[in-house]
Amino acid sequence: EVVLTQSPGTLSLSPGERATLSCRASQTVSSSYLAWYQQKPGQAPRLVIYGASSRATGIPDRFSGSGSGTDFTLSISRLEPEDVAVYFCQQHATSPLTFGGGTKVEI
Amino acid sequence: QVQLVQSGAEVKKPGASVKVACETSGYAFTTYYIHWVRQAPGQGLEWMGVINPSRGTTFYVQKFQGRVSMTRDTSTSTVYMELSSLRSEDTAVYYCARGGSSSWYRDFDYWGQGTLVTVSS
Protein backbone atom coordinates (compact mmCIF):
# COMPACT_ATOMS: atom_id res chain seq x y z
CA GLU A 1 0.00 0.00 0.00
CA VAL A 2 1.27 3.48 -0.91
CA VAL A 3 1.28 5.67 2.19
CA LEU A 4 0.91 9.41 1.58
CA THR A 5 2.23 11.73 4.29
CA GLN A 6 1.07 15.33 4.18
CA SER A 7 2.73 18.24 5.90
CA PRO A 8 2.24 20.45 7.70
CA GLY A 9 -0.84 19.27 9.55
CA THR A 10 -2.10 22.84 9.83
CA LEU A 11 -1.04 25.94 7.94
CA SER A 12 -2.00 29.34 9.38
CA LEU A 13 -1.46 32.26 7.02
CA SER A 14 -2.78 35.71 6.21
CA PRO A 15 -4.82 36.67 3.15
CA GLY A 16 -2.59 37.26 0.15
CA GLU A 17 0.19 35.00 1.43
CA ARG A 18 1.46 31.95 -0.41
CA ALA A 19 0.53 28.50 0.88
CA THR A 20 2.75 25.51 0.17
CA LEU A 21 1.42 22.04 0.99
CA SER A 22 3.51 18.90 0.79
CA CYS A 23 2.57 15.30 -0.01
CA ARG A 24 5.24 12.61 0.26
CA ALA A 25 4.66 9.06 -0.99
CA SER A 26 6.18 5.91 0.48
CA GLN A 27 7.05 4.76 -3.04
CA THR A 28 7.27 6.32 -6.47
CA VAL A 29 3.95 7.48 -7.90
CA SER A 30 3.61 8.40 -11.55
CA SER A 31 2.68 12.07 -11.86
CA SER A 32 -0.34 11.12 -13.92
CA TYR A 33 -1.82 9.43 -10.90
CA LEU A 34 -1.56 12.12 -8.21
CA ALA A 35 -4.53 14.32 -7.37
CA TRP A 36 -5.38 17.00 -4.82
CA TYR A 37 -8.81 17.63 -3.29
CA GLN A 38 -10.22 20.54 -1.29
CA GLN A 39 -12.77 19.85 1.44
CA LYS A 40 -14.56 22.74 3.10
CA PRO A 41 -16.37 22.17 6.42
CA GLY A 42 -19.53 20.15 5.98
CA GLN A 43 -18.94 19.60 2.27
CA ALA A 44 -17.80 16.78 0.04
CA PRO A 45 -14.26 16.88 -1.34
CA ARG A 46 -13.73 18.75 -4.61
CA LEU A 47 -11.09 17.91 -7.19
CA VAL A 48 -8.53 20.72 -7.42
CA ILE A 49 -5.53 19.24 -9.24
CA TYR A 50 -5.21 16.08 -11.33
CA GLY A 51 -2.17 14.56 -12.98
CA ALA A 52 -0.06 16.35 -10.34
CA SER A 53 -0.20 19.71 -12.12
CA SER A 54 -3.44 20.17 -14.10
CA ARG A 55 -6.18 22.33 -12.63
CA ALA A 56 -9.66 20.86 -12.56
CA THR A 57 -12.59 22.67 -14.13
CA GLY A 58 -13.45 25.93 -12.38
CA ILE A 59 -10.35 26.02 -10.18
CA PRO A 60 -8.72 29.48 -10.03
CA ASP A 61 -5.23 29.86 -11.44
CA ARG A 62 -3.82 30.77 -8.02
CA PHE A 63 -3.83 27.00 -7.40
CA SER A 64 -0.93 25.04 -8.86
CA GLY A 65 0.52 21.59 -8.45
CA SER A 66 4.00 20.26 -9.02
CA GLY A 67 6.29 17.40 -8.19
CA SER A 68 7.27 13.93 -9.27
CA GLY A 69 8.43 10.61 -7.92
CA THR A 70 7.68 10.69 -4.21
CA ASP A 71 7.39 14.43 -3.54
CA PHE A 72 4.45 16.53 -4.63
CA THR A 73 3.37 20.07 -3.79
CA LEU A 74 0.14 22.05 -3.91
CA SER A 75 0.63 25.81 -3.92
CA ILE A 76 -1.89 28.58 -3.47
CA SER A 77 -0.21 31.75 -4.67
CA ARG A 78 -2.40 34.40 -3.01
CA LEU A 79 -4.53 33.01 -0.22
CA GLU A 80 -8.18 34.07 -0.19
CA PRO A 81 -10.67 33.59 2.67
CA GLU A 82 -12.62 31.05 0.57
CA ASP A 83 -9.51 28.84 0.39
CA VAL A 84 -9.93 27.86 4.05
CA ALA A 85 -10.31 24.08 3.88
CA VAL A 86 -8.59 20.76 4.37
CA TYR A 87 -6.58 19.62 1.37
CA PHE A 88 -5.98 15.93 0.65
CA CYS A 89 -3.61 14.34 -1.83
CA GLN A 90 -4.53 11.02 -3.44
CA GLN A 91 -2.65 8.44 -5.46
CA HIS A 92 -4.66 6.35 -7.90
CA ALA A 93 -1.78 4.47 -9.48
CA THR A 94 -1.94 1.30 -7.42
CA SER A 95 -4.54 -0.50 -5.40
CA PRO A 96 -5.65 0.28 -2.81
CA LEU A 97 -6.15 3.88 -3.82
CA THR A 98 -4.98 5.97 -0.89
CA PHE A 99 -5.29 9.48 0.49
CA GLY A 100 -2.98 11.55 2.62
CA GLY A 101 -4.06 12.60 6.09
CA GLY A 102 -4.78 16.15 4.99
CA THR A 103 -3.46 19.66 5.58
CA LYS A 104 -5.78 22.20 7.17
CA VAL A 105 -5.36 25.73 5.79
CA GLU A 106 -6.45 28.49 8.14
CA ILE A 107 -6.54 32.26 7.81
CA GLN B 1 -24.74 18.95 -15.39
CA VAL B 2 -23.23 15.94 -13.69
CA GLN B 3 -24.84 15.19 -10.34
CA LEU B 4 -24.49 12.43 -7.78
CA VAL B 5 -27.25 12.58 -5.18
CA GLN B 6 -27.09 10.26 -2.19
CA SER B 7 -29.78 8.95 0.13
CA GLY B 8 -30.35 10.39 3.56
CA ALA B 9 -28.72 9.83 6.93
CA GLU B 10 -29.12 6.49 8.68
CA VAL B 11 -28.94 5.35 12.28
CA LYS B 12 -28.28 1.65 12.77
CA LYS B 13 -27.65 -0.70 15.66
CA PRO B 14 -24.47 -2.76 15.87
CA GLY B 15 -24.73 -5.90 13.78
CA ALA B 16 -27.25 -4.41 11.37
CA SER B 17 -26.76 -3.55 7.69
CA VAL B 18 -27.08 -0.27 5.84
CA LYS B 19 -27.65 0.38 2.16
CA VAL B 20 -26.72 3.78 0.72
CA ALA B 21 -27.95 4.91 -2.68
CA CYS B 22 -26.15 7.18 -5.14
CA GLU B 23 -28.36 8.42 -7.97
CA THR B 24 -26.45 9.83 -10.91
CA SER B 25 -27.52 12.15 -13.71
CA GLY B 26 -26.10 14.39 -16.40
CA TYR B 27 -23.87 11.83 -18.11
CA ALA B 28 -23.93 8.30 -19.55
CA PHE B 29 -24.27 6.17 -16.43
CA THR B 30 -22.56 3.06 -17.77
CA THR B 31 -19.53 4.96 -18.99
CA TYR B 32 -17.84 5.91 -15.72
CA TYR B 33 -16.74 3.90 -12.70
CA ILE B 34 -18.26 4.81 -9.34
CA HIS B 35 -16.15 4.65 -6.19
CA TRP B 36 -17.12 4.67 -2.52
CA VAL B 37 -15.09 6.59 0.05
CA ARG B 38 -15.82 7.02 3.74
CA GLN B 39 -14.74 9.58 6.32
CA ALA B 40 -15.01 8.95 10.04
CA PRO B 41 -15.75 12.01 12.20
CA GLY B 42 -12.78 14.38 12.12
CA GLN B 43 -10.71 11.89 10.14
CA GLY B 44 -9.32 11.46 6.65
CA LEU B 45 -10.65 9.77 3.54
CA GLU B 46 -10.72 5.98 3.15
CA TRP B 47 -11.35 4.27 -0.18
CA MET B 48 -13.68 1.29 0.06
CA GLY B 49 -13.95 0.03 -3.48
CA VAL B 50 -15.34 0.58 -6.95
CA ILE B 51 -18.04 -0.66 -9.30
CA ASN B 52 -18.19 -0.73 -13.08
CA PRO B 53 -21.79 0.33 -13.77
CA SER B 54 -21.69 -1.19 -17.23
CA ARG B 55 -20.84 -4.75 -16.22
CA GLY B 56 -21.62 -4.61 -12.53
CA THR B 57 -18.15 -5.88 -11.70
CA THR B 58 -16.64 -4.74 -8.45
CA PHE B 59 -13.39 -4.44 -6.54
CA TYR B 60 -13.39 -4.14 -2.77
CA VAL B 61 -10.60 -3.14 -0.44
CA GLN B 62 -9.53 -6.20 1.52
CA LYS B 63 -10.50 -4.57 4.81
CA PHE B 64 -14.16 -4.55 3.71
CA GLN B 65 -14.33 -7.82 1.80
CA GLY B 66 -17.11 -10.03 3.09
CA ARG B 67 -18.99 -7.06 4.56
CA VAL B 68 -19.49 -4.71 1.60
CA SER B 69 -21.51 -5.11 -1.56
CA MET B 70 -21.75 -2.60 -4.40
CA THR B 71 -24.51 -2.97 -6.95
CA ARG B 72 -26.15 -0.88 -9.61
CA ASP B 73 -29.52 -0.36 -11.29
CA THR B 74 -29.04 0.79 -14.85
CA SER B 75 -32.75 1.63 -15.23
CA THR B 76 -32.43 4.39 -12.62
CA SER B 77 -28.71 5.22 -13.02
CA THR B 78 -28.23 4.43 -9.35
CA VAL B 79 -25.40 2.73 -7.54
CA TYR B 80 -25.80 1.15 -4.11
CA MET B 81 -23.34 0.37 -1.34
CA GLU B 82 -24.40 -2.04 1.37
CA LEU B 83 -22.30 -2.58 4.48
CA SER B 84 -23.20 -5.36 6.88
CA SER B 85 -22.26 -6.41 10.42
CA LEU B 86 -22.01 -2.78 11.39
CA ARG B 87 -19.93 -1.75 14.36
CA SER B 88 -19.34 1.60 16.03
CA GLU B 89 -16.16 2.12 14.02
CA ASP B 90 -18.27 2.23 10.86
CA THR B 91 -19.81 5.52 11.95
CA ALA B 92 -18.80 7.84 9.13
CA VAL B 93 -19.91 9.91 6.19
CA TYR B 94 -20.04 7.72 3.10
CA TYR B 95 -19.41 9.33 -0.29
CA CYS B 96 -19.87 8.07 -3.81
CA ALA B 97 -17.57 9.61 -6.40
CA ARG B 98 -17.23 9.35 -10.17
CA GLY B 99 -13.99 7.94 -11.46
CA GLY B 100 -12.59 7.32 -14.89
CA SER B 101 -14.24 5.92 -18.00
CA SER B 102 -11.68 3.48 -19.35
CA SER B 103 -10.00 2.59 -16.06
CA TRP B 104 -10.78 2.91 -12.39
CA TYR B 105 -7.21 4.10 -11.78
CA ARG B 106 -8.32 7.71 -12.13
CA ASP B 107 -9.05 10.74 -10.00
CA PHE B 108 -12.59 11.45 -8.77
CA ASP B 109 -14.09 14.41 -10.61
CA TYR B 110 -17.58 14.50 -9.10
CA TRP B 111 -18.74 13.55 -5.62
CA GLY B 112 -22.06 12.93 -3.94
CA GLN B 113 -23.01 15.11 -0.99
CA GLY B 114 -22.31 12.33 1.50
CA THR B 115 -24.49 10.15 3.72
CA LEU B 116 -23.94 10.05 7.46
CA VAL B 117 -24.24 6.55 8.88
CA THR B 118 -24.32 6.39 12.66
CA VAL B 119 -23.91 3.05 14.39
CA SER B 120 -25.11 3.16 17.96
CA SER B 121 -26.91 0.91 20.39
Side-chain angles (χ1 to χ4, degrees):
Chain A
E1 172 175 327
V2 178
V3 177
L4 299 177
T5 302
Q6 291 189 241
S7 60
T10 302
L11 197 53
S12 297
L13 297 168
S14 300
E17 287 194 300
R18 182 181 188 85
T20 302
L21 289 66
S22 172
C23 175
R24 177 162 291 177
S26 61
Q27 57 189 267
T28 296
V29 174
S30 168
S31 297
S32 301
Y33 297 90
L34 195 288
W36 289 91
Y37 299 87
Q38 175 193 68
Q39 186 177 35
K40 296 182 179 181
Q43 296 186 16
R46 177 191 184 191
L47 180 65
V48 176
I49 296 288
Y50 65 93
S53 60
S54 298
R55 276 187 304 277
T57 303
I59 301 300
D61 61 7
R62 64 178 181 274
F63 287 86
S64 63
S66 63
S68 63
T70 60
D71 290 302
F72 298 89
T73 300
L74 174 68
S75 298
I76 311 172
S77 60
R78 300 170 304 280
L79 206 57
E80 305 249 354
E82 60 262 32
D83 301 333
V84 168
V86 179
Y87 293 82
F88 295 96
C89 57
Q90 178 209 29
Q91 68 80 23
H92 46 90
T94 61
S95 179
L97 309 189
T98 52
F99 294 87
T103 290
K104 184 177 183 179
V105 174
E106 300 178 331
I107 289 183
Chain B
Q1 72 281 23
V2 174
Q3 286 190 303
L4 283 69
V5 179
Q6 298 182 223
S7 49
E10 303 263 13
V11 179
K12 297 292 182 180
K13 293 192 183 301
S17 297
V18 68
K19 191 170 187 177
V20 179
C22 173
E23 184 176 2
T24 72
S25 61
Y27 71 99
F29 173 68
T30 57
T31 306
Y32 290 85
Y33 290 85
I34 294 291
H35 298 258
W36 288 90
V37 176
R38 76 177 186 179
Q39 185 172 37
Q43 302 302 307
L45 301 168
E46 181 176 30
W47 182 63
M48 300 178 67
V50 59
I51 182 169
N52 179 334
S54 176
R55 300 184 177 188
T57 52
T58 55
F59 178 88
Y60 306 136
V61 173
Q62 186 172 12
K63 173 180 179 178
F64 300 104
Q65 283 182 3
R67 284 209 303 144
V68 71
S69 176
M70 297 176 190
T71 57
R72 94 291 191 214
D73 182 344
T74 56
S75 68
T76 60
S77 300
T78 301
V79 172
Y80 300 91
M81 186 283 298
E82 184 170 21
L83 189 63
S84 61
S85 302
L86 290 169
R87 33 204 187 235
S88 59
E89 310 90 87
D90 294 317
T91 294
V93 176
Y94 290 77
Y95 294 101
C96 59
R98 194 181 81 162
S101 56
S102 57
S103 165
W104 55 266
Y105 289 100
R106 291 292 306 275
D107 48 78
F108 304 162
D109 58 356
Y110 290 92
W111 294 65
Q113 82 277 19
T115 296
L116 175 62
V117 175
T118 302
V119 183
S120 174
S121 55

